[in-house]
Amino acid sequence: MRLGTSTTIAFNRPYGRKEEIPNAVKLCAEAGYKVLDMNFHDCANFPTPLLTDKWQWWVDSIADAAARYGVEFSQSHLHFYEVFSVGDDEAGEKEEIIRRCMKGSAMLGVKWAVTHAATMWNVPDLRKKSLDGNIQYFREKLEIAEALDLHIAIENLWDLNICPKRRYTSTAEELVELVDALDSERIGIAWDFEHASIMEQDQILALRMIGSRLKATHVSDHYGIQADHQIPYFGVTKWEEFLPVLKEIEYEGDFVYETHRYTQHMPDELLPGALRFSIEVGNYLLDLMDRTTLK
């Protein structure tokens, strides 16, 4: 299992400034990262070239930086939105961005592109309607993925911030149900440890249920829903209690940070050291995983 990080770890800079992704790749590589997750979603929420007709040139520049600094993009994060809650015009714009994210992922050599399922709100049978709607939606995405030789991993969500309303796929059970219904070798599950921690889920049982469907990870910690996406041990998650289950279920993917709040207020001068420290923490966890057994 390899340690990786999302480009978000260097994208969000103080006072709302956004780092150029090729330079974020450089910073991560110089700190020692060899595996990256290209977070297209964040780039879709700010005025980046992804939103312009120069988006392919932009992706090429990111690929060039990865080749120059010897890093691999094993994962990506696609743009996402609440598919069942927007009008046709907005949906058309969102879908064009998602197509760019998928093609860009393929251009970078990504195998697993992570995304979110949507929730069918304001219906009495939320789970059933959401399942049916997502099956239809992702079948269309799988056709695109097939043409691009790309795979899609659907991520577990959290809904404490909207309680008593809830989001579909906030549980392993719903993720498994959706992925099994889609029944494709190109579909799998991405497990976000922080989301599960916020929801106080038993991650051993959840990961055992997911089993071989697990294809990608998002690794971060929190000390409350207003202080999320920190590196491990900067929050309340008890990593040693469940991490060995990844070895038990024979997870073959990477262990990838999604920790943008860890560095977003940090001066540029401190960023290289912070990135190196994040690698030290990640390597500690990988070693812990190898030498620890479940109780």
Side-chain angles (χ1 to χ4, degrees):
M1 195 180 308
R2 303 176 299 178
L3 176 67
T5 187
S6 168
T7 52
T8 58
I9 201 170
F11 179 65
N12 293 315
R13 307 305 306 124
Y15 308 108
R17 180 170 63 85
K18 303 301 174 184
E19 184 60 81
E20 297 290 338
I21 297 298
N23 198 47
V25 170
K26 175 178 180 290
L27 288 164
C28 290
E30 289 178 342
Y33 282 105
K34 298 295 184 183
V35 177
L36 298 180
D37 175 320
M38 174 60 208
N39 192 302
F40 285 101
H41 177 66
D42 279 14
C43 293
N45 290 328
F46 299 96
T48 70
L50 178 62
L51 306 180
T52 74
D53 59 5
K54 295 182 179 180
W55 70 271
Q56 288 180 296
W57 167 86
W58 175 71
V59 174
D60 282 337
S61 73
I62 297 169
D64 288 345
R68 185 178 313 119
Y69 296 107
V71 298
E72 171 190 342
F73 283 103
S74 68
Q75 295 180 192
S76 68
H77 201 317
L78 305 179
H79 187 44
F80 61 87
Y81 67 105
E82 283 295 341
V83 173
F84 311 124
S85 304
V86 304
D88 290 343
D89 289 345
E90 183 178 356
E93 295 173 0
K94 295 285 189 183
E95 289 299 321
E96 171 56 29
I97 298 303
I98 291 171
R99 282 189 289 271
R100 293 179 185 182
C101 295
M102 294 183 72
K103 185 171 182 180
S105 296
M107 291 167 65
L108 293 174
V110 166
K111 182 173 183 180
W112 287 98
V114 178
T115 191
H116 295 190
T119 303
M120 191 78 74
W121 308 102
N122 301 320
V123 293
D125 48 350
L126 178 148
R127 178 174 173 172
K128 181 180 185 304
K129 287 291 196 304
S130 297
L131 172 64
D132 293 344
N134 279 289
I135 289 172
Q136 180 178 345
Y137 180 77
F138 280 109
R139 279 180 177 159
E140 296 172 358
K141 291 292 172 287
L142 285 170
E143 292 180 6
I144 300 173
E146 178 76 31
L148 294 171
D149 194 21
L150 191 65
H151 299 71
I152 297 172
I154 305 174
E155 177 182 357
N156 60 307
L157 305 179
W158 64 287
D159 48 23
L160 184 61
N161 60 328
I162 60 171
C163 182
K165 295 177 69 175
R166 64 173 305 271
R167 289 190 177 95
Y168 182 63
T169 62
S170 63
T171 66
E173 180 185 20
E174 290 175 346
L175 279 171
V176 167
E177 181 180 47
L178 174 57
V179 166
D180 285 357
L182 288 164
D183 189 25
S184 169
E185 63 179 10
R186 293 193 178 275
I187 200 80
I189 288 173
W191 189 251
D192 189 304
F193 297 98
E194 179 185 40
H195 291 173
S197 178
I198 289 172
M199 296 299 292
E200 299 185 10
Q201 294 174 357
D202 186 321
Q203 300 206 51
I204 294 176
L205 296 181
L207 289 164
R208 282 174 174 165
M209 172 179 280
I210 291 167
S212 62
R213 303 172 186 85
L214 184 65
K215 304 300 181 183
T217 56
H218 282 170
V219 179
S220 56
D221 211 332
H222 70 99
Y223 48 91
I225 62 176
Q226 301 300 322
D228 56 2
H229 291 94
Q230 307 290 331
I231 63 170
Y233 300 114
F234 277 43
V236 299
T237 305
K238 295 180 174 60
W239 297 92
E240 60 281 351
E241 292 185 357
F242 59 81
L243 271 189
V245 80
L246 293 178
K247 184 170 55 176
E248 175 189 306
I249 66 173
E250 300 181 343
Y251 171 60
E252 297 179 349
D254 295 321
F255 192 71
V256 180
Y257 283 141
E258 190 186 48
T259 55
H260 42 280
R261 298 199 197 280
Y262 165 55
T263 54
Q264 69 177 357
H265 300 301
M266 193 170 289
D268 290 348
E269 293 80 1
L270 297 179
L271 182 59
L275 294 177
R276 290 193 297 271
F277 178 68
S278 71
I279 291 176
E280 185 176 346
V281 173
N283 286 336
Y284 173 85
L285 285 171
L286 292 178
D287 180 64
L288 182 72
M289 206 180 308
D290 286 337
R291 58 185 169 82
T292 307
T293 57
L294 294 172
K295 296 180 181 179

